[in-house]
Amino acid sequence: MNETTPISDKVVARLITYRSLLSKLGNGSDHIYSHQIAELSSGTPEQVRRDLMTIGHTGNPKKGYNIRQ
């Protein structure tokens, strides 16, 4: 049996915020770092990484996170 852990409402709200910010980003880059997302969302890079890992999305230390994904 495969059990899934429910995602808290706070994490869902932050993920929605990240998606909204990234969809409005027009810098022409394909990648963004967690510290950049944190600055845009008034959060911390650690929180951004934890939130994205919750949904199975990991970044690359050299490139950051793929914006389109």
Side-chain angles (χ1 to χ4, degrees):
M1 179 180 239
N2 185 10
E3 293 184 38
T4 58
T5 305
I7 300 174
S8 76
D9 291 342
K10 288 182 180 182
V11 172
V12 171
R14 287 192 299 266
L15 290 169
I16 291 169
T17 299
Y18 303 154
R19 182 178 170 98
S20 175
L21 291 169
L22 293 175
S23 69
K24 294 176 186 175
L25 196 62
N27 66 358
S29 177
D30 290 335
H31 293 83
I32 190 168
Y33 292 101
S34 59
H35 71 272
Q36 294 170 306
I37 298 171
E39 287 176 17
L40 294 170
S41 65
S42 301
T44 65
E46 296 81 9
Q47 186 67 62
V48 170
R49 288 191 295 270
R50 276 194 304 267
D51 291 344
L52 293 175
M53 284 179 15
T54 299
I55 59 170
H57 194 67
T58 57
N60 179 314
K62 291 185 179 184
K63 290 186 176 182
Y65 293 91
N66 185 312
I67 293 174
R68 301 199 195 300
Q69 291 179 345

